[in-house]
């Protein structure tokens, strides 16, 4: 592996992570996912409170670790997992704010692509790049959704550096261009995976709407995403 372990931000041993890592933003959500869905799980990271666990989903080894908030943070963890721990697939399981009037709280969006205002593409000399999901992961999750009769909306996300932005016309402008929802990590995750020849996908539950102003509490956000988790876990189960 290209990176020496333990890495600066992950205090785990070789083999502590499964090939597929589910990645919520919130460390407590990582803990919740391990406790709720995995069997025989053990904690493999706690550096800076970024909780990580590895266990089994229906017999398949799966890890879950938080990304923290924002593209600099997810870039660090994705890099160290891919390059230090031999992880092949990262599925972000997060929340996003709707930019599309037809998306309701609790709806699931899947990022086929992720537009961004981040400087990260430029730092790689890739201004104008279109960060996109890995097609195998995207297709596997969408097939699973169809099999379960669960509605998912697939399209463009906007990965923002700012939660509290300053443009009052933001939702209208990006919504008009067909961008479904805003979150803060997918574009950097997609770019990191592409650059390292790995695979990534971002799935988000709508937690608020920038169109209607609706919001959910932090508590609702932690638990209101069970459907999304099952989709992500069933996808992880099918991946090699
Ligand atoms: N903006 C950015 N990220 C988010 C939002 C939002 O409104 N909702 C959930 N993640």
């Amino acid at each position: 592996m290209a990176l020496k372990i333990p890495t600066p931000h992950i205090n785990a041993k070789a083999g502590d992570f499964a090939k597929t890592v589910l990645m919520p933003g919130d460390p407590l959500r990582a803990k919740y996912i391990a406790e709720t869905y995995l069997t025989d799980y053990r904690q493999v990271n706690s550096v800076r409170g970024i909780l990580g666990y590895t266990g089994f989903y229906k017999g398949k080894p799966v890890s879950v670790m938080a990304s923290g908030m924002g593209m600099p943070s997810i870039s660090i963890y994705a890099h160290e997992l891919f390059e230090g721990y031999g992880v092949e697939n990262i599925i972000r399981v997060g929340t996003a704010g709707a930019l599309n009037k037809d998306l309701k709280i609790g709806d699931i969006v899947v990022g086929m692509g992720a537009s961004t205002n981040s400087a990260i593409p430029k730092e790689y000399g890739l201004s104008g790049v279109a960060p996109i999901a890995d097609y195998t992961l995207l297709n596997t999750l969408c097939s699973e959704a169809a099999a379960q009769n669960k509605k998912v909306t697939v399209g463009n996300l906007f990965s923002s550096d700012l939660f509290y932005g300053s443009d009052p016309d933001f939702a209208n402008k990006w919504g008009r261009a067909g961008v479904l929802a805003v979150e803060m990590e997918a574009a950097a995750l997609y770019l990191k995976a592409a650059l390292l020849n790995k695979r990534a996908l971002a799935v988000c539950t709508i937690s608020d709407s920038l169109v209607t102003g609706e919001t959910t509490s932090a508590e609702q956000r932690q638990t209101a995403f069970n459907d999304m988790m099952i989709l992500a876990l069933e996808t992880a189960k099918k991946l090699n």
Side-chain angles (χ1 to χ4, degrees):
M1 240 70 75
L3 202 61
K4 194 167 145 288
I5 59 168
T7 58
H9 308 92
I10 303 174
N11 187 16
K13 299 185 300 299
D16 271 352
F17 283 94
K19 285 236 170 343
T20 302
V21 179
L22 306 189
M23 200 164 237
D26 179 354
L28 291 181
R29 228 179 283 147
K31 183 165 183 273
Y32 171 83
I33 292 165
E35 289 171 349
T36 309
Y37 300 103
L38 301 186
T39 55
D40 292 330
Y41 63 87
R42 61 201 168 90
Q43 190 177 300
V44 293
N45 190 51
S46 64
V47 178
R48 289 181 182 243
I50 292 291
L51 300 174
Y53 303 85
T54 295
F56 297 86
Y57 177 71
K58 298 185 180 173
K60 172 101 175 185
V62 176
S63 296
V64 52
M65 189 174 89
S67 67
M69 286 183 282
M71 287 179 272
S73 186
I74 199 166
S75 295
I76 290 170
Y77 295 110
H79 186 92
E80 294 184 11
L81 289 171
F82 284 145
E83 288 287 87
Y85 291 95
V87 168
E88 293 296 325
N89 311 299
I90 294 180
I91 305 176
R92 162 164 158 72
V93 283
T95 56
L99 300 172
N100 179 303
K101 68 174 177 27
D102 297 325
L103 287 170
K104 307 282 179 258
I105 306 295
D107 282 358
I108 298 170
V109 295
V110 186
M112 183 159 62
S115 305
T116 189
N117 57 6
S118 164
I120 290 175
K122 184 162 161 269
E123 288 296 321
Y124 287 116
L126 294 169
S127 297
V129 71
I132 59 168
D134 174 80
Y135 185 71
T136 299
L137 268 57
L138 178 68
N139 193 36
T140 304
L141 187 130
C142 291
S143 304
E144 184 57 36
Q148 289 184 25
N149 222 356
K150 291 264 157 61
K151 180 179 162 245
V152 295
T153 306
V154 182
N156 208 348
L157 299 173
F158 186 87
S159 301
S160 179
D161 270 342
L162 291 171
F163 187 89
Y164 299 104
S166 60
D167 179 1
D169 203 33
F170 173 82
N172 186 35
K173 266 193 326 216
W174 289 89
R176 203 177 57 202
V179 179
L180 299 173
V182 56
E183 52 81 74
M184 302 183 73
E185 291 83 15
L189 173 64
Y190 287 180
L191 193 51
K192 176 62 68 181
L195 288 168
L196 296 175
N197 197 23
K198 303 276 183 170
R199 308 193 292 194
L201 179 67
V203 192
C204 293
T205 302
I206 297 298
S207 60
D208 53 287
S209 171
L210 280 72
V211 181
T212 65
E214 268 182 288
T215 58
T216 45
S217 68
E219 193 182 22
Q220 280 172 306
R221 233 173 292 156
Q222 179 161 331
T223 51
F225 72 155
N226 288 321
D227 283 358
M228 172 176 73
M229 280 317 308
I230 297 295
L231 287 177
L233 287 160
E234 289 292 331
T235 300
K237 184 162 77 73
K238 292 196 173 71
L239 296 173
N240 47 34

